[in-house]
Amino acid sequence: MKKIASLTLGLLLTACAVGPDYEKPATPGGMTAEGAFVEGARLSAVNAQALPEKWWRLYDDPNVDRLVTEALAHNTDIRQSAANLQRARAVLSEARGRRLPETNVAGQYTRQRTGSNSFGAQFGGTQQIPSFETDLFTAGLDASYELDLFGGVSRAIEAARGDVDAAAAQVDAARISVAAETARAYALACSNASQIAVARETVKLQEQTLALTRRLFDSGRGQRRDVEQADALLAQTQAQVPGLEAERRAALYALATLTGRPPAETDAVAASCARPPQVTQIIPVGDGTALLQRRPDVRAAERELAADTARVGIATAALYPSISLLGSASLASTTIDNLVDNDSFNFSLGPLISWSFPNQTAARSRLRQAEATVEGSLAAFDGTVLTALREVEQSLARYAGELDRNRALQRAERSAGEAARLSRLRFDYGAESFLQLIESERQRADARAARAQSDAALADAQVSLFRALGGGWENAPEVTRRTPAGAVAATE
């Protein structure tokens, strides 16, 4: 026993973790992410202040806040990501358990009969040993402990910890996506309602024009061609309404699903929304350094790289001997009364050494696989960083372009409306032809429709920018699960 204890102590003192030690990688290509964004420096509608935790409150719309909060609590994608995180934590607990001895307790009772033919004749004669029956009672404890001489267990714990961190970042990424898509669906439903209102108002004006044209034709002051042109213009505007109505309903169905409800349970407030939400204040976007620290996909890629690096150590440790301490103690007796006697006690104790040697082809192949996986994870991390910076710059560029376009369309709408008003006055006094009136009304209708479409695009561009900035997962509400009856039960 003293020799075994001394050997164990010596092996533990010489233990080491083989394989590479992880170091957090720098940004790809030696690039720097410090400072303001390129597009942000050109855009007066944003600044470099830190992005607030709940960016959707910048809309100052209680409906947006309510819907996003509900979606973060009930969305099925978030629930799935949360379940994956629970699984990763369980795997980490299993890996940590390898630091403890494995034990197995067993107890058994057997009744055994041995027939006389099992022995044959006694001493070669004709006399047979009679058959007999015996009872056997056993109870025992087996224990084994793997000495982590080369860090295989430590690396496994390190890899599992990286997987937990990556899974937690994936939960945050799901929250970002759900918050953005909820705000987008709500804005789309409101935008479609706004465009429907514009189209219907235009239809009323064009119906008035058609009625006037028919009266002039009936009184002999107009032509049949004027009536047909007015009717064609009216039909074209009427044709826009069904498509917009369908898109509005589709957005409401998407919003219901995002908030964890069946599509039939559409939100009544969202259904009555008439104007898309807009952020009228300057949007804080932070800088590149804060972005890379905030984006969950960057954190997930970095943690996955750390986990894969640790798995190289696991594969390296498989090239070296594995030493385990084995021990067992048992009691065995033919009668239960004598089971705890000294003569019933048995034990065994000693080390077990196993080593895949000299044929290490499989182990070295697994090591090369792990190293290749690390190279791929590093490339994925670099790509994720570049993608994060690209998405923000693209979102800022599109937001800036849509802002300028929206301002121009507002001016065009005002001018087209004034031109149509003057054209109708001139037509009523006979100073302008009917074709000129029709053209001015068509231009006004086009300008109003373009403005409404730009408002929708502007709201979408704002949501895309917030999603690219990667905020909204901080201080998220507790994830819950809806029952079929619509009740809510906590699952995390």
Side-chain angles (χ1 to χ4, degrees):
M1 294 292 293
K2 291 182 178 180
K3 291 181 179 179
I4 293 176
S6 300
L7 176 62
T8 302
L9 179 61
L11 291 174
L12 290 175
L13 291 176
T14 58
C16 62
V18 296
D21 293 326
Y22 176 73
E23 294 183 5
K24 187 175 180 178
T27 51
M31 57 167 288
T32 176
E34 298 178 358
F37 298 106
V38 176
E39 289 290 334
R42 302 172 182 172
L43 182 59
S44 60
V46 301
N47 58 32
Q49 294 182 5
L51 181 72
E53 291 183 352
K54 296 181 179 180
W55 54 262
W56 52 88
R57 291 186 174 176
L58 294 174
Y59 286 107
D60 195 21
D61 187 331
N63 293 323
V64 176
D65 188 23
R66 174 181 60 83
L67 290 169
V68 171
T69 302
E70 188 174 354
L72 291 177
H74 305 310
N75 183 266
T76 55
D77 290 341
I78 297 178
R79 286 168 44 199
Q80 183 178 358
S81 298
N84 292 336
L85 175 58
Q86 292 176 357
R87 177 184 178 277
R89 287 171 176 167
V91 172
L92 174 59
S93 179
E94 179 184 1
R96 286 172 173 167
R98 292 181 59 190
R99 289 192 180 278
L100 302 175
E102 294 185 7
T103 58
N104 182 43
V105 178
Q108 185 178 13
Y109 161 75
T110 57
R111 175 75 176 175
Q112 179 175 338
R113 180 182 186 278
T114 303
S116 60
N117 289 338
S118 300
F119 300 97
Q122 184 179 20
F123 304 115
T126 59
Q127 184 178 1
Q128 297 259 341
I129 295 178
S131 302
F132 64 92
E133 297 181 0
T134 58
D135 294 323
L136 182 62
F137 300 88
T138 61
L141 169 67
D142 296 330
S144 64
Y145 178 70
E146 180 182 357
L147 301 178
D148 192 22
L149 297 180
F150 302 101
V153 175
S154 299
R155 295 301 192 190
I157 295 174
E158 185 180 342
R161 188 179 296 114
D163 290 337
V164 169
D165 294 339
Q170 293 293 351
V171 175
D172 296 338
R175 287 168 175 156
I176 291 175
S177 177
V178 167
E181 292 307 312
T182 301
R184 193 192 308 276
Y186 176 74
L188 181 58
C190 297
S191 299
N192 286 323
S194 177
Q195 295 179 64
I196 290 170
V198 170
R200 286 176 175 169
E201 186 176 350
T202 303
V203 165
K204 290 181 180 179
L205 293 174
Q206 291 175 351
E207 286 175 342
Q208 294 174 5
T209 301
L210 177 59
L212 174 61
T213 307
R214 283 175 174 166
R215 287 197 302 268
L216 292 174
F217 175 73
D218 293 339
S219 63
R221 295 173 52 192
Q223 300 180 11
R224 184 68 182 179
R225 179 192 62 185
D226 297 339
V227 177
E228 296 299 334
Q229 287 179 338
D231 187 48
L233 185 61
L234 173 61
Q236 290 173 359
T237 306
Q238 289 174 331
Q240 299 174 7
V241 176
L244 293 172
E245 283 281 8
E247 289 300 324
R248 186 187 69 87
R249 294 196 303 273
L252 292 174
Y253 296 146
L255 188 61
T257 303
L258 285 166
T259 54
R261 294 188 178 94
E265 297 181 13
T266 56
D267 190 86
V269 177
S272 62
C273 175
R275 292 181 58 85
Q278 293 287 348
V279 178
T280 56
Q281 66 189 71
I282 295 178
I283 298 178
V285 297
D287 56 21
T289 301
L291 170 73
L292 298 184
Q293 293 174 350
R294 183 174 57 244
R295 289 257 308 211
D297 56 343
V298 175
R299 290 190 285 114
E302 186 270 328
R303 290 288 81 203
E304 289 171 358
L305 175 60
D308 290 337
T309 302
R311 291 186 178 95
V312 174
I314 298 174
T316 304
L319 299 175
Y320 297 90
S322 173
I323 301 178
S324 300
L325 298 180
L326 305 180
S328 67
S330 64
L331 299 171
S333 174
T334 57
T335 62
I336 195 170
D337 295 337
N338 298 329
L339 185 62
V340 295
D341 291 351
N342 289 335
D343 292 337
S344 301
F345 179 69
N346 307 285
F347 81 90
S348 64
L349 181 66
L352 171 66
I353 302 177
S354 60
W355 190 11
S356 298
F357 187 83
N359 182 6
Q360 294 187 318
T361 302
R364 294 190 180 279
S365 296
R366 287 191 290 269
L367 175 58
R368 291 195 299 271
Q369 294 171 27
E371 292 172 342
T373 301
V374 170
E375 290 297 323
S377 296
L378 178 59
F381 171 77
D382 291 346
T384 303
V385 170
L386 294 175
T387 298
L389 295 171
R390 171 182 59 82
E391 287 179 351
V392 173
E393 296 290 2
Q394 287 179 331
S395 297
L396 286 169
R398 289 166 180 154
Y399 181 49
E402 195 56 48
L403 276 175
D404 293 340
R405 178 172 176 265
N406 191 265
R407 295 190 191 101
L409 288 174
Q410 289 180 30
R411 188 174 70 253
E413 181 185 9
R414 290 192 298 268
S415 299
E418 181 63 16
R421 187 184 68 83
L422 295 175
S423 181
R424 175 169 289 275
L425 289 175
R426 291 174 58 83
F427 176 77
D428 291 341
Y429 286 100
E432 195 165 282
S433 68
F434 180 75
L435 290 177
Q436 291 173 316
L437 174 61
I438 290 294
E439 179 62 21
S440 64
E441 289 194 349
R442 184 190 63 79
Q443 290 177 355
R444 177 177 62 178
D446 291 345
R448 297 189 67 188
R451 161 69 188 284
Q453 292 173 1
S454 178
D455 288 343
L458 186 60
D460 186 79
Q462 288 175 342
V463 172
S464 297
L465 174 59
F466 287 128
R467 180 172 184 170
L469 291 172
W473 50 267
E474 309 92 340
N475 298 322
E478 180 181 351
V479 181
T480 57
R481 178 180 61 84
R482 291 187 183 276
T483 63
V488 178
T491 59
E492 180 179 283

